[in-house]
Amino acid sequence: MRGLLLTTLMVGLGLLTSPTLKAATKDVATVTVVSQKAPHMLVLDGTLEAVKSATVSAQTSGRIVKLNFDVNDLVPAGAPLLEITSKEQGAELAAAEAGYARAQALNVEAQKTLARYQTLFPQGAISKGAMDQAVANAKSAQQAASAALAQITKARESLKYTVVSAPYAGVVTARHVEVGEAVAPGQPLLSGFATGKMRAVIEVPQRYREALIKAGAVDVSLSDGRKFHVTEPVIFGFTDTQSHAYKVRLPLPENTPALLPGSWIKARFPVAEREITFIPLSALYSVNELSGVYLQQGDHFILQQVRLGATRGDEVEVQAGLSAGDVIAANAYQVLLSHPVQQ
């Protein structure tokens, strides 16, 4: 038992001293290190933004009498956001309806007069001048009735503007008015964004633009672990004036839950190819933060320190310390337990 503990301790220190292990290589399973080509992925930071975001403005004047939603509230599509006083607009509608009724009455009278004159004129009972006047009055009255009807439509629309409705389902992000405040047409009222559709936005350096076009797709990772494969990136045709990078929009699937504008994302796409080396996890021997493998040299093994990369299933990438063609023990602990350490 003491011998085993001593062996373990000395091998642990071997990452610094590289002790040699006696080898009967026929008793230890080995693997040959091979390299393979893999895409080199460019990783960029980005953020989420809403496809639809807007500020609702007043379309009529008045005073705010009711606010139905506040900042961070979820609003259904078409829901009334706020109400503005409607007495003035209601009075305008009543006046427009009265004006239309008068214009319609005059139009009916003018049309009847024209009909009578058209019957009497062939008999010589009506002069040519009176007939022409009747035709002109009938046309004028008809146009006046149409204009009065248009005033009713305008007044009704103005009355509708006193209740401001949500253009789409979303979240309120800012409130620009208070109850009792007077507003005028064009004044901002509430701001918000639609929750139904989001996109990721990244900035791609100029030297990688062609690689992105060639790749034709980008992998997007969220902070909560969700991943999306975006196949139709929208690349702007001009660069940012400060960063000189191309802005790229990455549309995400509609109605994906829990997507919040401003959240950080990671975007990846291949820009070149590189040689990578993977070895079995069982070939790895680790002590604290240092890692190594048992490299075969002739009839013995030496502990070779390596720098590791990503793990893929039961394999791990070796970024430094090994070369293609090297032969290593398939199970580091088999070497450790089967062979005493030479001093």
Side-chain angles (χ1 to χ4, degrees):
M1 185 67 176
R2 293 178 59 187
L4 177 61
L5 292 175
L6 179 60
T7 301
T8 304
L9 177 60
M10 295 185 68
V11 173
L13 296 173
L15 291 174
L16 299 177
T17 61
S18 296
T20 301
L21 296 185
K22 265 188 172 180
T25 54
K26 62 182 180 179
D27 298 332
V28 178
T30 60
V31 294
T32 301
V33 176
V34 296
S35 297
Q36 54 184 297
K37 290 187 178 293
H40 176 63
M41 306 296 288
L42 177 67
V43 181
L44 298 172
D45 291 323
T47 56
L48 293 180
E49 71 175 20
V51 174
K52 292 181 179 180
S53 61
T55 296
V56 178
S57 301
Q59 293 179 273
T60 187
S61 59
R63 191 174 300 276
I64 304 294
V65 294
K66 190 176 182 180
L67 278 169
N68 298 323
F69 296 94
D70 205 344
V71 175
N72 204 42
D73 287 346
L74 183 62
V75 181
L81 298 171
L82 56 83
E83 297 179 17
I84 302 173
T85 51
S86 59
K87 289 184 178 180
E88 180 179 351
Q89 291 79 4
E92 290 177 354
L93 177 58
E97 289 175 341
Y100 175 69
R102 180 175 182 275
Q104 187 66 11
L106 293 175
N107 181 44
V108 170
E109 180 183 0
Q111 300 305 324
K112 289 182 177 179
T113 301
L114 176 60
R116 287 196 303 269
Y117 279 23
Q118 288 174 338
T119 302
L120 297 174
F121 181 71
Q123 302 175 6
I126 300 298
S127 66
K128 175 64 174 172
M131 185 64 192
D132 292 342
Q133 184 65 38
V135 171
N137 290 341
K139 290 183 178 179
S140 177
Q142 187 176 20
Q143 294 300 321
S146 298
L149 183 59
Q151 288 298 319
I152 290 181
T153 302
K154 180 180 178 181
R156 285 176 177 169
E157 287 299 311
S158 182
L159 184 60
K160 288 181 181 179
Y161 294 156
T162 60
V163 177
V164 180
S165 300
Y168 41 72
V171 175
V172 178
T173 58
R175 188 187 71 214
H176 307 290
V177 292
E178 298 287 347
V179 173
E181 184 176 344
V183 296
Q187 182 173 342
L189 302 175
L190 296 169
S191 298
F193 66 89
T195 56
K197 193 171 184 180
M198 297 284 175
R199 63 190 171 207
V201 179
I202 60 174
E203 288 193 349
V204 176
Q206 294 185 33
R207 62 183 180 275
Y208 296 121
R209 183 175 184 272
E210 293 302 322
L212 175 57
I213 295 174
K214 183 178 180 181
V218 179
D219 292 322
V220 176
S221 301
L222 305 186
S223 58
D224 59 7
R226 286 182 291 174
K227 297 182 179 181
F228 303 92
H229 186 67
V230 180
T231 57
E232 296 181 356
V234 180
I235 306 172
F236 281 29
F238 54 90
T239 61
D240 182 81
T241 55
Q242 295 182 346
S243 66
H244 302 289
Y246 287 95
K247 188 175 183 179
V248 179
R249 287 175 173 172
L250 308 171
L252 302 181
E254 291 190 31
N255 300 318
T256 303
L259 294 181
L260 300 176
S263 300
W264 288 102
I265 60 98
K266 293 285 187 182
R268 298 173 175 84
F269 61 90
V271 295
E273 285 190 340
R274 63 186 180 99
E275 295 284 340
I276 61 172
T277 301
F278 279 91
I279 63 172
L281 284 171
S282 59
L284 192 65
Y285 182 79
S286 299
V287 176
N288 296 327
E289 296 181 357
L290 299 178
S291 300
V293 297
Y294 284 106
L295 176 65
Q296 181 178 337
Q297 289 192 348
D299 62 348
H300 61 272
F301 291 96
I302 64 170
L303 191 59
Q304 173 69 33
Q305 184 177 347
V306 294
R307 186 171 74 243
L308 303 178
T311 300
R312 183 181 67 183
D314 58 354
E315 295 181 321
V316 62
E317 180 186 358
V318 176
Q319 296 179 339
L322 291 176
S323 301
D326 288 343
V327 178
I328 62 174
N331 190 323
Y333 290 91
Q334 181 185 8
V335 179
L336 173 64
L337 298 175
S338 302
H339 301 84
V341 176
Q342 281 190 344
Q343 300 297 324

